[in-house]
Amino acid sequence: MFRILLVYLLLFTSTLLSAQSNDSITIRRFYDEALTNGKAYGWLDILCNKIGPRLSGSAQAANAVQFVKQELEKIPADRVFLQDVMVPHWVRGEKEQAYVISKGKKEALTICALGGSISTPDKGMQSKIIEVHDFDELEKLGKENISGKIVFMNHPMNPKFINTFEAYGEAAKYRYSTAGKAAPLGAIGVVVRSMTLSMNDFPHTGAMGYPDSVTKIPSCAISTLGAEKLSSLLKEDPQAEFYFYQTCQTLTDAPSHNVLGEIKGSEFPDEVILIGGHLDSWDLGTGASDDGTGVVQAMEVINLMKALQLKPKRTIRCIAFMNEENGGKGGAKYAELAKINKERNIAAIESDAGGFTPRGFSFKGDSIQALKVMNWKSKFLLYNLNEWKMGYGGADINHLQDQGTLLIGFIPDSQRYFEIHHAATDTYEKVSLRELELGAASIAALVWLISEYGI
Amino acid sequence: MFRILLVYLLLFTSTLLSAQSNDSITIRRFYDEALTNGKAYGWLDILCNKIGPRLSGSAQAANAVQFVKQELEKIPADRVFLQDVMVPHWVRGEKEQAYVISKGKKEALTICALGGSISTPDKGMQSKIIEVHDFDELEKLGKENISGKIVFMNHPMNPKFINTFEAYGEAAKYRYSTAGKAAPLGAIGVVVRSMTLSMNDFPHTGAMGYPDSVTKIPSCAISTLGAEKLSSLLKEDPQAEFYFYQTCQTLTDAPSHNVLGEIKGSEFPDEVILIGGHLDSWDLGTGASDDGTGVVQAMEVINLMKALQLKPKRTIRCIAFMNEENGGKGGAKYAELAKINKERNIAAIESDAGGFTPRGFSFKGDSIQALKVMNWKSKFLLYNLNEWKMGYGGADINHLQDQGTLLIGFIPDSQRYFEIHHAATDTYEKVSLRELELGAASIAALVWLISEYGI
């Protein structure tokens, strides 16, 4: 009896050790292949430099859908398909203009309309401007001080956070909601300090929203240098006036698509591991780091599996979500269809934090499942992925949270992201091939382990 | 007795815990101060954009010496001084030219002279060219195949290394030594593939050397795109000829300086903790990441201590070394003077791997001392410094290794460094303020701990 046990134990141990060693080799092969023959950087070049910025509803967004579909077919993924989704269609219009008028002198300032904002009147809007730093200050000033004026929300992101996403998390509400909070106090327009930790003259756009029943007032972002200039001018001359001009508008919703490509699982085809980024982007840059990088990394996961001739046990599905930036309709549609079709998305990984050097993954969902995956951390230490923690999944995959899916957010280095996020500086040249491919390989390796062992 | 012991134990424990908690707070203050009021990025702007590239012996190198001295005096450091050092003075001369001639057609290629190389003859050099990939291949081809030809050393850096410095470590000998190995075989010139993992048309310069008693032959670097083009052309037409023209020369040695600034230790002034980068740079870019970042981080250590009004127990000395790139005379001079003056440099930290997001430190020297410092790793986990390992110190501080100094190399993220290293693309714009300052704060915090506890 003891002998039999011993033999079983030895067999079990050696199988386990051999599986672990095979895992290490497979993981290494993902990195080797990505760093030598990866396709992500070339795809990103086309997305950014041939197709360009991809606002939901735009012709470029439609071109990007076809491009991703064709490239997935070329790999080839086992199955490539589109999901129809209606998306908001906001357009920027003419180049925005702004200046401050103080003591008879005009000084130009650099602004851009915020996504979802209405236009100014045809000849622009000019009025007194009042500076505030947060919602408390706005509320305290109240109608008597705000009414008839433009509100200047000058809330800087806090540079002391080591992870810049925490600074963004704290500050982004001022971009989204200042118009909605200021309009009931009688404000006629809103200027928001750009959400960036850099000091320069590039304004950063992004979504804003109007609560129902609130008067819509035009809302724009001002560059950080512009915000500093405006603030110091208002200290000298509180009677200074602000002028801005923007012609943006929201058209009727447009038909668009999520793009999907998958490799069918050999043993558990009904268990889906989803990996995605979003294909739409803001229009000032070319949507390279937000989120071209996430899209091409998701495509690369499929490509690496095929290039290495791996046969995953579970179904691996890559998705290019549409409309993350100003509506989230693609993410919602995916989750809706998954529910209708009774699909089982066991895990979903989102890459929407830039294509910088990979640092780890964050998890949201069942903590036992998350722990099982986090225990694989040691397999990634060679590649310096040290951050494995409970936390955030991603805006698009978040719609799956009531379907029992383990949500996983890819964590790249965060330091450079908000230099370029939603600005004209979000371009291909700012992305490093190696950083991008190291991220793709890291995600592919994690997807592979989940497909081998389940969760 | 037991009671007394207990009281002592409690006192000791609480003192220890309180010291640890104070350490955490002090470390946090370094990061806060660097991220909000740091001066390093502004200094780097001046070094790169006002002063420019700083080849040893050049007027810009002399200007940079004065600039660093003045800024250290402005902080003010307790003591600012120069160390005289004679340095090699190599100048590039005119813009280099190169083309390949195949079947009567000329095609231009992008090259640059390697540092230390001689010029070509006045009208350039033209001859048959033979491609090799390593020294073994060169030796095997021997005199009968090499004599009278230009040798094209086409050895790519290996992209599979995760840390790019390992790839550089493997490949850089081909830049430094191909001329010395090829000349005895009768080669008349050398073209070396640029030491970079990027594929583009920027050649990367760097030092080469001639062994004594070997005929000096002109040596240049070709861009990676150029190397690929040349290689494929030679496959089609092995009779193709290569032409290049360069007018570089080595002038007589020039007087120059290391620049030093220090804060006197309050308890152990004779124990010196050195922190440095090198002030000289190659001339194609503006020496931003190699090694403007290291210099301004070392200056920032002094600035942060003063800004936070800290009184270190041991002497903290920042140094801007001269001539790391093509001679190492500054590092050698510092060590020589330290020995003559019987100084005790207990630890020396070098930042010469770029100003990218900090990842950790590597140690060279007494392993017990190194372990003591590595045990502080846990204090840096909040800041994601996960790599603490035995390894390399740095080219300049290495001269101290026989003086019992613990040598410490600052490790930033390595992925982008060899995109720009020694090329025209090594500019200020490629450096991120936050990444630079996070590195400076990490180094300052480590210096502080060493100054508090010794090693």
Side-chain angles (χ1 to χ4, degrees):
Chain A
M1 186 62 195
F2 176 74
R3 274 198 182 173
I4 296 172
L5 255 177
L6 193 71
V7 168
Y8 269 107
L9 195 69
L10 282 172
L11 267 175
F12 175 73
T13 314
S14 78
T15 313
L16 197 73
L17 287 176
S18 147
Q20 283 182 350
S21 148
N22 285 342
D23 286 345
S24 297
I25 291 167
T26 306
I27 292 173
R28 180 78 236 185
R29 289 175 68 209
F30 280 117
Y31 284 94
D32 283 355
E33 181 68 16
L35 289 170
T36 51
N37 297 311
K39 292 190 173 170
Y41 201 61
W43 283 327
L44 187 68
D45 188 7
I46 297 172
L47 262 187
C48 297
N49 297 329
K50 294 261 158 57
I51 295 173
R54 304 168 297 280
L55 253 180
S56 289
S58 67
Q60 292 101 314
N63 292 344
V65 164
Q66 291 310 315
F67 169 70
V68 172
K69 180 169 174 284
Q70 283 159 18
E71 293 301 319
L72 289 170
E73 283 164 350
K74 272 193 221 162
I75 291 175
D78 298 349
R79 177 183 169 224
V80 178
F81 59 107
L82 302 181
Q83 290 178 333
D84 297 340
V85 56
M86 293 299 292
V87 296
H89 190 189
W90 178 85
V91 292
R92 182 171 301 281
E94 296 168 40
K95 177 107 184 83
E96 302 85 344
Q97 293 170 39
Y99 44 82
V100 56
I101 307 102
S102 167
K103 300 170 184 165
K105 264 181 56 185
K106 269 189 197 179
E107 189 159 8
L109 296 168
T110 311
I111 64 156
C112 67
L114 286 176
S117 174
I118 61 167
S119 64
T120 54
D122 284 356
K123 301 202 164 168
M125 169 182 282
Q126 180 170 335
S127 98
K128 283 196 184 152
I129 181 162
I130 184 160
E131 177 176 353
V132 298
H133 302 87
D134 55 37
F135 292 146
D136 278 354
E137 194 180 349
L138 182 71
E139 297 297 335
K140 272 185 203 143
L141 282 168
K143 273 195 183 175
E144 67 273 30
N145 294 298
I146 301 293
S147 194
K149 291 183 189 151
I150 295 169
V151 166
F152 168 32
M153 177 59 78
N154 191 14
H155 184 92
M157 276 172 68
N158 183 349
K160 293 184 181 178
F161 286 105
I162 302 301
N163 186 318
T164 59
F165 282 83
E166 294 180 40
Y168 183 68
E170 187 274 329
K173 60 179 176 284
Y174 294 107
R175 185 190 71 217
Y176 193 85
S177 301
T178 296
K181 305 253 185 199
L185 303 174
I188 60 167
V190 160
V191 193
V192 181
R193 182 192 180 100
S194 284
M195 296 299 142
T196 179
L197 288 153
S198 298
M199 189 58 68
N200 59 37
D201 207 26
F202 294 100
H204 294 234
T205 189
M208 56 79 59
Y210 299 109
D212 294 339
S213 81
V214 159
T215 310
K216 293 183 178 182
I217 57 176
S219 190
C220 69
I222 186 167
S223 71
T224 44
L225 271 185
E228 294 288 301
K229 196 187 282 178
L230 184 55
S231 179
S232 72
L233 229 151
L234 286 170
K235 280 184 189 67
E236 283 173 35
D237 175 14
Q239 301 305 312
E241 298 206 343
F242 185 79
Y243 167 89
F244 73 123
Y245 171 75
Q246 56 190 34
T247 63
C248 48
Q249 56 179 315
T250 300
L251 308 177
T252 51
D253 286 359
S256 190
H257 310 275
N258 294 328
V259 191
L260 301 94
E262 66 184 30
I263 301 174
K264 210 73 182 165
S266 60
E267 290 188 25
F268 310 100
D270 295 340
E271 295 189 22
V272 174
I273 303 156
L274 187 75
I275 153 71
H278 67 85
L279 193 51
D280 64 305
S281 81
W282 287 108
D283 55 327
L284 299 177
T286 54
S289 291
D290 187 14
D291 181 29
T293 48
V295 169
V296 299
Q297 284 178 329
M299 295 164 71
E300 187 75 287
V301 170
I302 302 291
N303 179 55
L304 292 175
M305 299 277 170
K306 288 291 184 180
L308 298 174
Q309 299 182 295
L310 294 169
K311 309 258 177 249
K313 292 182 182 168
R314 290 166 174 82
T315 293
I316 294 173
R317 181 183 288 168
C318 113
I319 181 164
F321 289 106
M322 184 52 67
N323 187 230
E324 188 273 345
E325 293 294 0
N326 58 341
K329 299 297 182 192
K333 177 59 74 175
Y334 180 85
E336 181 194 326
L337 291 174
K339 195 172 258 177
I340 291 171
N341 299 328
K342 298 194 169 56
E343 282 182 356
R344 217 178 131 215
N345 287 271
I346 61 166
I349 307 180
E350 184 163 328
S351 168
D352 186 17
F356 304 97
T357 305
R359 308 298 295 243
F361 296 96
S362 64
F363 299 84
K364 185 176 175 183
D366 182 85
S367 57
I368 302 295
Q369 291 185 344
L371 266 177
K372 177 164 179 186
V373 178
M374 282 196 262
N375 276 336
W376 296 328
K377 173 178 175 177
S378 62
K379 298 181 192 292
F380 290 83
L381 293 186
L382 263 178
Y383 311 99
N384 300 315
L385 269 68
N386 295 292
E387 287 187 66
W388 296 64
K389 59 186 185 192
M390 293 306 289
Y392 184 63
D396 281 317
I397 60 175
N398 223 19
H399 297 278
L400 288 165
Q401 70 178 326
D402 63 353
Q403 297 184 32
T405 306
L406 179 64
L407 307 179
I408 307 177
F410 169 61
I411 308 179
D413 194 282
S414 79
Q415 299 310 321
R416 290 174 184 242
Y417 191 62
F418 291 99
E419 295 177 4
I420 55 175
H421 178 248
H422 294 185
T425 44
D426 183 7
T427 56
Y428 172 72
E429 296 70 33
K430 301 286 166 63
V431 179
S432 154
L433 182 152
R434 286 183 60 84
E435 292 182 1
L436 179 68
E437 290 290 359
L438 285 171
S442 303
I443 297 167
L446 187 65
V447 166
W448 173 254
L449 291 172
I450 298 174
S451 91
E452 280 290 280
Y453 300 108
I455 53 169
Chain B
M1 185 64 196
F2 176 75
R3 273 199 181 171
I4 296 172
L5 255 177
L6 194 69
V7 168
Y8 269 107
L9 195 68
L10 282 172
L11 266 175
F12 176 73
T13 314
S14 78
T15 312
L16 198 73
L17 286 175
S18 149
Q20 282 182 351
S21 150
N22 284 341
D23 286 344
S24 297
I25 291 168
T26 306
I27 292 173
R28 180 78 237 183
R29 290 174 69 208
F30 280 117
Y31 284 94
D32 283 355
E33 181 68 17
L35 289 170
T36 51
N37 297 312
K39 293 190 173 171
Y41 201 60
W43 283 327
L44 187 67
D45 188 6
I46 297 173
L47 262 187
C48 296
N49 297 328
K50 294 259 159 58
I51 295 173
R54 304 168 297 281
L55 253 180
S56 289
S58 67
Q60 292 102 313
N63 292 343
V65 164
Q66 291 310 314
F67 169 70
V68 172
K69 181 169 174 282
Q70 283 159 17
E71 292 301 319
L72 289 171
E73 284 164 350
K74 273 193 220 162
I75 290 175
D78 297 349
R79 175 183 170 224
V80 178
F81 59 107
L82 302 180
Q83 291 178 333
D84 297 340
V85 56
M86 292 302 290
V87 296
H89 189 190
W90 178 85
V91 292
R92 182 170 301 282
E94 296 169 40
K95 177 109 184 80
E96 301 86 344
Q97 293 170 39
Y99 45 82
V100 55
I101 307 103
S102 166
K103 299 168 185 165
K105 263 180 57 184
K106 268 190 198 178
E107 189 159 7
L109 296 168
T110 311
I111 64 154
C112 67
L114 286 175
S117 174
I118 61 167
S119 64
T120 54
D122 285 357
K123 300 202 164 168
M125 170 182 281
Q126 180 170 334
S127 98
K128 284 198 184 150
I129 180 162
I130 183 158
E131 177 176 352
V132 297
H133 302 87
D134 54 39
F135 292 145
D136 279 353
E137 197 181 347
L138 182 71
E139 297 297 336
K140 272 184 204 144
L141 282 168
K143 273 194 182 175
E144 67 273 31
N145 294 298
I146 301 293
S147 192
K149 291 184 189 149
I150 294 169
V151 166
F152 168 32
M153 177 58 77
N154 191 14
H155 184 92
M157 275 172 70
N158 183 349
K160 292 185 182 179
F161 286 106
I162 302 301
N163 186 318
T164 59
F165 282 84
E166 294 181 38
Y168 183 68
E170 187 273 330
K173 60 179 174 284
Y174 294 107
R175 184 191 72 217
Y176 193 86
S177 301
T178 296
K181 305 252 187 200
L185 303 174
I188 60 167
V190 161
V191 192
V192 181
R193 182 191 180 100
S194 284
M195 297 298 143
T196 178
L197 288 152
S198 299
M199 190 58 70
N200 58 37
D201 208 26
F202 293 100
H204 293 233
T205 190
M208 57 80 57
Y210 299 108
D212 293 338
S213 82
V214 159
T215 310
K216 294 183 178 182
I217 57 176
S219 190
C220 69
I222 186 168
S223 71
T224 45
L225 270 185
E228 294 288 301
K229 196 187 285 180
L230 184 56
S231 179
S232 72
L233 229 151
L234 286 171
K235 281 183 188 68
E236 283 172 37
D237 176 14
Q239 302 305 311
E241 299 205 343
F242 185 80
Y243 167 89
F244 74 123
Y245 171 75
Q246 56 190 33
T247 63
C248 49
Q249 56 179 315
T250 300
L251 309 178
T252 51
D253 286 359
S256 188
H257 310 274
N258 294 327
V259 191
L260 301 94
E262 66 182 30
I263 301 175
K264 209 75 183 164
S266 60
E267 291 188 24
F268 311 101
D270 295 340
E271 294 189 22
V272 175
I273 303 157
L274 187 74
I275 154 70
H278 67 84
L279 192 51
D280 64 307
S281 82
W282 288 108
D283 54 327
L284 300 176
T286 54
S289 290
D290 187 15
D291 181 28
T293 49
V295 169
V296 299
Q297 284 178 329
M299 294 165 71
E300 187 75 288
V301 169
I302 302 292
N303 179 54
L304 293 175
M305 299 278 169
K306 288 292 185 179
L308 298 174
Q309 300 182 295
L310 294 169
K311 310 258 177 250
K313 292 182 183 168
R314 290 165 175 83
T315 292
I316 295 174
R317 180 184 290 168
C318 114
I319 181 165
F321 289 106
M322 183 52 66
N323 187 233
E324 188 274 344
E325 292 295 2
N326 58 341
K329 299 298 181 192
K333 177 59 74 175
Y334 180 84
E336 181 195 326
L337 291 175
K339 195 171 259 179
I340 292 171
N341 299 327
K342 298 195 170 55
E343 282 183 356
R344 217 177 131 214
N345 287 271
I346 61 167
I349 307 180
E350 183 163 328
S351 169
D352 186 18
F356 304 97
T357 305
R359 309 297 295 244
F361 296 96
S362 63
F363 300 84
K364 185 175 175 184
D366 181 87
S367 58
I368 302 294
Q369 291 185 344
L371 266 176
K372 177 165 179 187
V373 178
M374 283 196 261
N375 276 336
W376 296 328
K377 174 178 175 178
S378 62
K379 300 180 192 290
F380 291 83
L381 293 186
L382 264 178
Y383 311 99
N384 300 315
L385 269 68
N386 295 292
E387 287 186 67
W388 297 63
K389 59 187 185 192
M390 293 306 290
Y392 184 64
D396 281 316
I397 60 175
N398 222 19
H399 296 279
L400 288 165
Q401 70 177 327
D402 64 353
Q403 297 183 33
T405 306
L406 179 64
L407 308 179
I408 307 177
F410 169 61
I411 308 178
D413 193 282
S414 79
Q415 299 311 320
R416 290 175 184 242
Y417 190 63
F418 291 100
E419 294 178 3
I420 55 176
H421 179 249
H422 295 184
T425 44
D426 183 7
T427 57
Y428 173 71
E429 297 69 34
K430 300 287 167 60
V431 180
S432 154
L433 183 152
R434 287 183 59 83
E435 292 182 0
L436 179 68
E437 291 290 359
L438 285 170
S442 303
I443 297 167
L446 187 65
V447 166
W448 173 254
L449 291 172
I450 298 174
S451 91
E452 280 291 281
Y453 300 109
I455 53 170

